[in-house]
Amino acid sequence: MTTYFQGKTVIITGASAGVGAETAKAFAKMNANLVLLARGQKALDEISKELSISTSVLTIAMDVSSSSDCQKMLVSAEKKFGAIHYLINNAGYHKRGEVENNSPEQLAKMVDVNLRAPIELTALILPYIRRSIAKGGVGGIVNVGSLAGRTPLQGAATYSATKSGLRAFSYALADELKGSGISVGVVSPGPINTGFIMSEIDEVEDIVFSQPMSSPQQVTNAIISVAKGEKIEISLPNSSGWLTTISYLFPTLRRLLRPLLYEKGRKAKERYRNKA
C-alpha cells in the first residue's frame, strides 16, 4: 500500500475536516500528490502546513457545486502536478429534519452538493484521468455515500435520496468504465465520529445511532481499498450493510423494526451525549 499511490495525484473534496482530512493524511503518508478542496481557506492552510512536510499539496478554496470553479481547479491541478489520477468525492451537506420543515433552498443545496456536484466533477475529470492512464498510470473515483443511501431514512428523505442516487451513479459508472483502467466505487458508512454528526447530535434522528459508530480512520481505510479497485462498495460497519439490504428488500419488515431501532438509537444517543 505504501507505494501504490506514490507520485499519483489525488483530489479530495471536503478535505479540511473529518473524513476528508483523515483521508488526506493517509494519502500523504503514501507519498501521493494532494489537491485539497473545501470552502474555507484557513482550514485548508492548516492541513496543508501539516502535510506539506511529507508531500506536495495544492489547496483551493472553492464551491464544488460551481462548474467554473471545478474546471479552473482541474486546469490548476494538472498544471502543477502534470497528471491527475484519483478523485475522492467526499464533500457533503445535510440539513436535518423532515422535508416540509426545510426550505426549498436547503433541499436544493443537498441535491447540489451531494449529487449534482460529484456527478459533474466526475464527468469533468474523466478526460484528465484517461490522459494519465494513457501514459501508463492508474486512476479511480471514489464516492462517499451513506447507509442512508442504501435504504430510505425518514427524517432525512432528501439526504437519503441524494446518497441513493450517488450509489446508483457509482455502480452504473463502474459498468461504463469497465476495462478502461479507471476503478469506480462507493463507500457507504453509517454514523461517523466527526463533527458532521456529533456537533449536531440533538438534530440527528435517533435511528441513526442504532448502528455502531465508525471512526474517520475506518472510513479512510475503506476509501483507499475502493480506490485501489479491491471492491466496488464497502459498507461500514459490514453488519449494517446487511441490515440495510434486508430493510430495503423487505419494506414491511423495515417498518416493523423501526420502533425497536429508534429505541436502541435513543439510548445510544444519550450515551454519546453524556460522553461529550
PDB file of all heavy atoms in Angstrom, residues 257-275:
ATOM      1  N   LEU A 257     -39.482  -3.070  12.296  1.00  0.00           N
ATOM      2  CA  LEU A 257     -38.275  -2.949  13.112  1.00  0.00           C
ATOM      3  C   LEU A 257     -37.989  -1.511  13.547  1.00  0.00           C
ATOM      4  O   LEU A 257     -37.252  -1.293  14.509  1.00  0.00           O
ATOM      5  CB  LEU A 257     -37.065  -3.474  12.333  1.00  0.00           C
ATOM      6  CG  LEU A 257     -36.979  -4.979  12.114  1.00  0.00           C
ATOM      7  CD1 LEU A 257     -35.788  -5.312  11.221  1.00  0.00           C
ATOM      8  CD2 LEU A 257     -36.857  -5.703  13.455  1.00  0.00           C
ATOM      9  N   ARG A 258     -38.593  -0.562  12.848  1.00  0.00           N
ATOM     10  CA  ARG A 258     -38.268   0.841  13.080  1.00  0.00           C
ATOM     11  C   ARG A 258     -38.429   1.274  14.543  1.00  0.00           C
ATOM     12  O   ARG A 258     -37.527   1.925  15.097  1.00  0.00           O
ATOM     13  CB  ARG A 258     -39.112   1.731  12.160  1.00  0.00           C
ATOM     14  CG  ARG A 258     -38.756   3.207  12.246  1.00  0.00           C
ATOM     15  CD  ARG A 258     -39.543   3.988  11.203  1.00  0.00           C
ATOM     16  NE  ARG A 258     -39.057   3.701   9.869  1.00  0.00           N
ATOM     17  CZ  ARG A 258     -39.778   3.876   8.762  1.00  0.00           C
ATOM     18  NH1 ARG A 258     -41.028   4.280   8.853  1.00  0.00           N
ATOM     19  NH2 ARG A 258     -39.260   3.620   7.577  1.00  0.00           N
ATOM     20  N   PRO A 259     -39.529   0.947  15.225  1.00  0.00           N
ATOM     21  CA  PRO A 259     -39.648   1.372  16.633  1.00  0.00           C
ATOM     22  C   PRO A 259     -38.534   0.819  17.511  1.00  0.00           C
ATOM     23  O   PRO A 259     -38.023   1.517  18.402  1.00  0.00           O
ATOM     24  CB  PRO A 259     -41.015   0.819  17.055  1.00  0.00           C
ATOM     25  CG  PRO A 259     -41.781   0.681  15.777  1.00  0.00           C
ATOM     26  CD  PRO A 259     -40.769   0.279  14.753  1.00  0.00           C
ATOM     27  N   LEU A 260     -38.122  -0.437  17.270  1.00  0.00           N
ATOM     28  CA  LEU A 260     -37.039  -1.030  18.059  1.00  0.00           C
ATOM     29  C   LEU A 260     -35.716  -0.330  17.789  1.00  0.00           C
ATOM     30  O   LEU A 260     -34.937  -0.085  18.718  1.00  0.00           O
ATOM     31  CB  LEU A 260     -36.920  -2.523  17.734  1.00  0.00           C
ATOM     32  CG  LEU A 260     -38.122  -3.398  18.088  1.00  0.00           C
ATOM     33  CD1 LEU A 260     -37.901  -4.833  17.606  1.00  0.00           C
ATOM     34  CD2 LEU A 260     -38.362  -3.379  19.598  1.00  0.00           C
ATOM     35  N   LEU A 261     -35.465   0.008  16.519  1.00  0.00           N
ATOM     36  CA  LEU A 261     -34.224   0.690  16.168  1.00  0.00           C
ATOM     37  C   LEU A 261     -34.206   2.116  16.723  1.00  0.00           C
ATOM     38  O   LEU A 261     -33.154   2.608  17.146  1.00  0.00           O
ATOM     39  CB  LEU A 261     -34.049   0.710  14.651  1.00  0.00           C
ATOM     40  CG  LEU A 261     -33.802  -0.655  13.996  1.00  0.00           C
ATOM     41  CD1 LEU A 261     -33.785  -0.537  12.479  1.00  0.00           C
ATOM     42  CD2 LEU A 261     -32.495  -1.259  14.502  1.00  0.00           C
ATOM     43  N   TYR A 262     -35.354   2.768  16.727  1.00  0.00           N
ATOM     44  CA  TYR A 262     -35.427   4.114  17.308  1.00  0.00           C
ATOM     45  C   TYR A 262     -35.109   4.074  18.799  1.00  0.00           C
ATOM     46  O   TYR A 262     -34.391   4.934  19.321  1.00  0.00           O
ATOM     47  CB  TYR A 262     -36.812   4.732  17.075  1.00  0.00           C
ATOM     48  CG  TYR A 262     -36.851   5.681  15.905  1.00  0.00           C
ATOM     49  CD1 TYR A 262     -37.217   5.235  14.638  1.00  0.00           C
ATOM     50  CD2 TYR A 262     -36.500   7.021  16.052  1.00  0.00           C
ATOM     51  CE1 TYR A 262     -37.251   6.093  13.558  1.00  0.00           C
ATOM     52  CE2 TYR A 262     -36.531   7.887  14.978  1.00  0.00           C
ATOM     53  CZ  TYR A 262     -36.903   7.421  13.735  1.00  0.00           C
ATOM     54  OH  TYR A 262     -36.928   8.277  12.668  1.00  0.00           O
ATOM     55  N   GLU A 263     -35.640   3.091  19.484  1.00  0.00           N
ATOM     56  CA  GLU A 263     -35.388   2.984  20.925  1.00  0.00           C
ATOM     57  C   GLU A 263     -33.915   2.671  21.192  1.00  0.00           C
ATOM     58  O   GLU A 263     -33.298   3.258  22.090  1.00  0.00           O
ATOM     59  CB  GLU A 263     -36.274   1.888  21.526  1.00  0.00           C
ATOM     60  CG  GLU A 263     -36.081   1.671  23.024  1.00  0.00           C
ATOM     61  CD  GLU A 263     -36.399   2.888  23.860  1.00  0.00           C
ATOM     62  OE1 GLU A 263     -37.079   3.805  23.364  1.00  0.00           O
ATOM     63  OE2 GLU A 263     -35.937   2.938  25.027  1.00  0.00           O
ATOM     64  N   LYS A 264     -33.372   1.757  20.416  1.00  0.00           N
ATOM     65  CA  LYS A 264     -31.946   1.438  20.560  1.00  0.00           C
ATOM     66  C   LYS A 264     -31.091   2.671  20.279  1.00  0.00           C
ATOM     67  O   LYS A 264     -30.135   2.963  21.004  1.00  0.00           O
ATOM     68  CB  LYS A 264     -31.569   0.307  19.592  1.00  0.00           C
ATOM     69  CG  LYS A 264     -30.098  -0.084  19.641  1.00  0.00           C
ATOM     70  CD  LYS A 264     -29.790  -1.168  18.613  1.00  0.00           C
ATOM     71  CE  LYS A 264     -28.296  -1.518  18.624  1.00  0.00           C
ATOM     72  NZ  LYS A 264     -27.983  -2.557  17.587  1.00  0.00           N
ATOM     73  N   GLY A 265     -31.437   3.398  19.224  1.00  0.00           N
ATOM     74  CA  GLY A 265     -30.685   4.597  18.869  1.00  0.00           C
ATOM     75  C   GLY A 265     -30.812   5.691  19.905  1.00  0.00           C
ATOM     76  O   GLY A 265     -29.844   6.409  20.182  1.00  0.00           O
ATOM     77  N   ARG A 266     -32.002   5.828  20.498  1.00  0.00           N
ATOM     78  CA  ARG A 266     -32.206   6.861  21.521  1.00  0.00           C
ATOM     79  C   ARG A 266     -31.289   6.629  22.714  1.00  0.00           C
ATOM     80  O   ARG A 266     -30.679   7.566  23.253  1.00  0.00           O
ATOM     81  CB  ARG A 266     -33.668   6.856  21.981  1.00  0.00           C
ATOM     82  CG  ARG A 266     -34.011   7.958  22.972  1.00  0.00           C
ATOM     83  CD  ARG A 266     -35.389   7.759  23.564  1.00  0.00           C
ATOM     84  NE  ARG A 266     -35.467   6.533  24.350  1.00  0.00           N
ATOM     85  CZ  ARG A 266     -34.955   6.395  25.579  1.00  0.00           C
ATOM     86  NH1 ARG A 266     -34.322   7.419  26.166  1.00  0.00           N
ATOM     87  NH2 ARG A 266     -35.075   5.252  26.222  1.00  0.00           N
ATOM     88  N   LYS A 267     -31.163   5.381  23.136  1.00  0.00           N
ATOM     89  CA  LYS A 267     -30.300   5.052  24.274  1.00  0.00           C
ATOM     90  C   LYS A 267     -28.822   5.293  23.936  1.00  0.00           C
ATOM     91  O   LYS A 267     -28.070   5.820  24.758  1.00  0.00           O
ATOM     92  CB  LYS A 267     -30.524   3.598  24.684  1.00  0.00           C
ATOM     93  CG  LYS A 267     -31.904   3.326  25.272  1.00  0.00           C
ATOM     94  CD  LYS A 267     -32.085   1.853  25.601  1.00  0.00           C
ATOM     95  CE  LYS A 267     -33.463   1.591  26.191  1.00  0.00           C
ATOM     96  NZ  LYS A 267     -33.677   0.155  26.477  1.00  0.00           N
ATOM     97  N   ALA A 268     -28.427   4.888  22.726  1.00  0.00           N
ATOM     98  CA  ALA A 268     -27.042   5.090  22.309  1.00  0.00           C
ATOM     99  C   ALA A 268     -26.729   6.577  22.190  1.00  0.00           C
ATOM    100  O   ALA A 268     -25.651   7.036  22.581  1.00  0.00           O
ATOM    101  CB  ALA A 268     -26.792   4.391  20.982  1.00  0.00           C
ATOM    102  N   LYS A 269     -27.684   7.340  21.674  1.00  0.00           N
ATOM    103  CA  LYS A 269     -27.514   8.784  21.518  1.00  0.00           C
ATOM    104  C   LYS A 269     -27.289   9.453  22.871  1.00  0.00           C
ATOM    105  O   LYS A 269     -26.442  10.345  23.008  1.00  0.00           O
ATOM    106  CB  LYS A 269     -28.758   9.358  20.838  1.00  0.00           C
ATOM    107  CG  LYS A 269     -28.714  10.840  20.514  1.00  0.00           C
ATOM    108  CD  LYS A 269     -30.004  11.209  19.790  1.00  0.00           C
ATOM    109  CE  LYS A 269     -30.042  12.639  19.363  1.00  0.00           C
ATOM    110  NZ  LYS A 269     -31.288  12.964  18.618  1.00  0.00           N
ATOM    111  N   GLU A 270     -28.012   9.013  23.872  1.00  0.00           N
ATOM    112  CA  GLU A 270     -27.862   9.568  25.211  1.00  0.00           C
ATOM    113  C   GLU A 270     -26.478   9.261  25.770  1.00  0.00           C
ATOM    114  O   GLU A 270     -25.863  10.107  26.437  1.00  0.00           O
ATOM    115  CB  GLU A 270     -28.947   8.999  26.127  1.00  0.00           C
ATOM    116  CG  GLU A 270     -29.061   9.708  27.467  1.00  0.00           C
ATOM    117  CD  GLU A 270     -29.414  11.171  27.326  1.00  0.00           C
ATOM    118  OE1 GLU A 270     -30.122  11.519  26.349  1.00  0.00           O
ATOM    119  OE2 GLU A 270     -28.970  11.972  28.161  1.00  0.00           O
ATOM    120  N   ARG A 271     -25.982   8.055  25.489  1.00  0.00           N
ATOM    121  CA  ARG A 271     -24.629   7.718  25.943  1.00  0.00           C
ATOM    122  C   ARG A 271     -23.579   8.597  25.275  1.00  0.00           C
ATOM    123  O   ARG A 271     -22.657   9.087  25.935  1.00  0.00           O
ATOM    124  CB  ARG A 271     -24.336   6.246  25.657  1.00  0.00           C
ATOM    125  CG  ARG A 271     -25.126   5.256  26.510  1.00  0.00           C
ATOM    126  CD  ARG A 271     -24.532   3.861  26.445  1.00  0.00           C
ATOM    127  NE  ARG A 271     -24.534   3.311  25.086  1.00  0.00           N
ATOM    128  CZ  ARG A 271     -25.544   2.612  24.586  1.00  0.00           C
ATOM    129  NH1 ARG A 271     -26.624   2.379  25.317  1.00  0.00           N
ATOM    130  NH2 ARG A 271     -25.494   2.143  23.356  1.00  0.00           N
ATOM    131  N   TYR A 272     -23.724   8.813  23.981  1.00  0.00           N
ATOM    132  CA  TYR A 272     -22.778   9.690  23.262  1.00  0.00           C
ATOM    133  C   TYR A 272     -22.854  11.115  23.792  1.00  0.00           C
ATOM    134  O   TYR A 272     -21.835  11.795  23.950  1.00  0.00           O
ATOM    135  CB  TYR A 272     -23.087   9.695  21.759  1.00  0.00           C
ATOM    136  CG  TYR A 272     -22.719   8.418  21.055  1.00  0.00           C
ATOM    137  CD1 TYR A 272     -23.653   7.721  20.284  1.00  0.00           C
ATOM    138  CD2 TYR A 272     -21.420   7.875  21.137  1.00  0.00           C
ATOM    139  CE1 TYR A 272     -23.333   6.550  19.624  1.00  0.00           C
ATOM    140  CE2 TYR A 272     -21.101   6.704  20.480  1.00  0.00           C
ATOM    141  CZ  TYR A 272     -22.048   6.047  19.724  1.00  0.00           C
ATOM    142  OH  TYR A 272     -21.726   4.881  19.069  1.00  0.00           O
ATOM    143  N   ARG A 273     -24.075  11.581  24.068  1.00  0.00           N
ATOM    144  CA  ARG A 273     -24.236  12.936  24.572  1.00  0.00           C
ATOM    145  C   ARG A 273     -23.578  13.102  25.941  1.00  0.00           C
ATOM    146  O   ARG A 273     -22.939  14.110  26.215  1.00  0.00           O
ATOM    147  CB  ARG A 273     -25.721  13.284  24.666  1.00  0.00           C
ATOM    148  CG  ARG A 273     -25.968  14.745  25.065  1.00  0.00           C
ATOM    149  CD  ARG A 273     -27.433  15.034  25.310  1.00  0.00           C
ATOM    150  NE  ARG A 273     -28.202  15.082  24.059  1.00  0.00           N
ATOM    151  CZ  ARG A 273     -29.099  14.168  23.703  1.00  0.00           C
ATOM    152  NH1 ARG A 273     -29.335  13.122  24.478  1.00  0.00           N
ATOM    153  NH2 ARG A 273     -29.767  14.303  22.577  1.00  0.00           N
ATOM    154  N   ASN A 274     -23.679  12.094  26.783  1.00  0.00           N
ATOM    155  CA  ASN A 274     -23.094  12.158  28.109  1.00  0.00           C
ATOM    156  C   ASN A 274     -21.564  12.118  28.089  1.00  0.00           C
ATOM    157  O   ASN A 274     -20.903  12.642  28.982  1.00  0.00           O
ATOM    158  CB  ASN A 274     -23.602  11.008  28.973  1.00  0.00           C
ATOM    159  CG  ASN A 274     -25.077  11.148  29.312  1.00  0.00           C
ATOM    160  OD1 ASN A 274     -25.610  12.251  29.307  1.00  0.00           O
ATOM    161  ND2 ASN A 274     -25.750  10.031  29.565  1.00  0.00           N
ATOM    162  N   LYS A 275     -21.010  11.506  27.007  1.00  0.00           N
ATOM    163  CA  LYS A 275     -19.549  11.448  26.872  1.00  0.00           C
ATOM    164  C   LYS A 275     -18.969  12.771  26.374  1.00  0.00           C
ATOM    165  O   LYS A 275     -17.784  13.053  26.550  1.00  0.00           O
ATOM    166  CB  LYS A 275     -19.154  10.346  25.898  1.00  0.00           C
ATOM    167  CG  LYS A 275     -19.360   8.937  26.435  1.00  0.00           C
ATOM    168  CD  LYS A 275     -18.955   7.901  25.413  1.00  0.00           C
ATOM    169  CE  LYS A 275     -19.192   6.503  25.919  1.00  0.00           C
ATOM    170  NZ  LYS A 275     -18.801   5.469  24.884  1.00  0.00           N
TER     171      LYS A 275
END
